[in-house]
Amino acid sequence: LSTKRAVSGDQLCISGSCNYNLYKDSKEIAYYLCSDKINDLILLPEEDSSGRLIPVLACQDRVLRILDVSQIF
């Protein structure tokens, strides 16, 4: 079982084998269940300087899944 974590300010992103969770101020605000194994997780800042982060999941099937809250972009 591999777990990936990323933290920025009050936001914590955690991914397990096939799931992704986003927490803000210790409350879960987003969840995504991936159809394939998640190999890595990175957070990219949004261009508009809102402080919002965009999670990108690198999956076993060689697909990068870019998330908008709990949906694929």
Side-chain angles (χ1 to χ4, degrees):
L1 214 173
S2 68
T3 302
K4 308 288 188 238
R5 295 177 204 95
V7 178
S8 179
D10 61 352
Q11 296 182 37
L12 168 65
C13 297
I14 300 174
S15 71
S17 306
C18 296
N19 63 318
Y20 160 82
N21 299 80
L22 171 62
Y23 298 90
K24 185 170 182 166
D25 294 325
S26 301
K27 295 178 185 162
E28 184 180 52
I29 61 170
Y31 176 81
Y32 177 73
L33 183 59
C34 189
S35 59
D36 201 10
K37 181 182 175 192
I38 300 171
N39 290 330
D40 207 354
L41 160 71
I42 62 168
L43 300 175
L44 300 176
E46 189 151 341
E47 290 183 3
D48 64 4
S49 303
S50 65
R52 187 168 167 260
L53 299 172
I54 299 171
V56 179
L57 307 176
C59 299
Q60 187 73 29
D61 59 1
R62 298 181 183 175
V63 173
L64 294 176
R65 289 177 170 86
I66 302 169
L67 299 179
D68 181 21
V69 187
S70 294
Q71 301 289 323
I72 293 179
F73 228 151

